[in-house]
Amino acid sequence: IAFVVLRQQFGVLSEKHARAEAALRRRDRLAAMGELASTVAHEVRNPLNAIGMTAQRLRREFLNGDRGAGAPDASELKELLDVLGGETKRIDRIVQQFLDYARPPRLSLSQASLRDMLEAAAEALRAKAATRQITIHSDLAGAGEAVFDPDQLKQAVDNLLRNAIDATPDGGRVRLQARRDELDHVIEVID
């Protein structure tokens, strides 16, 4: 009997050790991705800043100052500078999104009702789904209190539900399920 008990405890410890190692590897990969993202963002933003400052200078000197003979039409120049400035801002937003993805915000954990959060996420998208006669069926009986970051988890579930709605043919059904297994809560979005 002692051997069986020890073997069970060893199995549990081995599983916990494997989970800890996997979490450590994931953390290291995320840290490396964050460093890479920071370097890429720095290298992209330097030329973007130069382009943006050049556009401002051209606007100041050629639209507000004297233009020499043969200078382009002011409205054409303004239009070109607006495009240049707008595209510079667009690239900067893309770089920021890349940084946000590579370095997700810190978790703000709190104990809350997983069921309430999931139901709110489903309810927010029912009207969108209804425009294509898609129903969202929620089976959340297994969801209870849990410790999680409500904003980030709701965003993740929202993204999964939107993807499921987009992938489901008109008149179809999307299921949002939550259950509890031995150690964790399990959330499934099925299209």
Side-chain angles (χ1 to χ4, degrees):
I1 294 175
F3 179 72
V4 171
V5 170
L6 285 174
R7 189 173 178 158
Q8 275 184 325
Q9 288 177 346
F10 178 75
V12 170
L13 289 175
S14 293
E15 183 180 325
K16 286 182 180 180
H17 180 71
R19 281 187 180 183
E21 280 184 336
L24 186 60
R25 283 192 301 273
R26 183 175 186 272
R27 190 189 68 186
D28 288 345
R29 281 194 310 270
L30 287 175
M33 188 190 311
E35 287 180 35
L36 175 64
S38 180
T39 300
V40 169
H42 178 74
E43 293 302 320
V44 170
R45 281 188 167 158
N46 281 343
L48 273 182
N49 287 335
I51 292 168
M53 289 188 315
T54 301
Q56 287 176 356
R57 182 174 174 200
L58 288 172
R59 180 180 306 279
R60 194 173 49 248
E61 289 182 13
F62 288 99
L63 289 181
N64 297 337
D66 294 330
R67 292 189 306 276
D73 177 64
S75 64
E76 180 184 9
L77 184 58
K78 181 183 180 320
E79 184 178 320
L80 291 172
L81 290 172
D82 288 346
V83 168
L84 185 62
E87 290 302 301
T88 301
K89 288 178 184 173
R90 187 173 73 85
I91 292 171
D92 190 55
R93 280 193 306 272
I94 291 169
V95 168
Q96 187 60 49
Q97 288 172 348
F98 178 63
L99 280 173
D100 291 344
Y101 174 76
R103 289 183 299 184
R106 292 199 180 276
L107 291 176
S108 178
L109 299 176
S110 61
Q111 184 158 346
S113 170
L114 191 57
R115 180 186 181 121
D116 290 349
M117 186 280 301
L118 292 171
E119 189 55 50
E123 190 60 38
L125 291 172
R126 281 197 168 91
K128 174 184 171 52
T131 63
R132 295 187 31 227
Q133 291 78 42
I134 295 172
T135 59
I136 298 176
H137 174 72
S138 301
D139 179 7
L140 306 175
E145 289 287 313
V147 176
F148 59 96
D149 183 318
D151 293 333
Q152 288 193 45
L153 186 57
K154 185 173 182 185
Q155 182 64 48
V157 171
D158 182 80
N159 289 339
L160 290 170
L161 286 171
R162 286 176 187 275
N163 290 345
I165 291 167
D166 291 344
T168 300
D170 290 358
R173 183 170 110 167
V174 172
R175 286 190 337 226
L176 173 62
Q177 297 177 178
R179 61 184 161 75
R180 175 122 189 177
D181 69 9
E182 299 166 2
L183 302 172
D184 301 309
H185 288 273
V186 178
I187 301 168
E188 296 175 315
V189 176
I190 303 163
D191 57 48

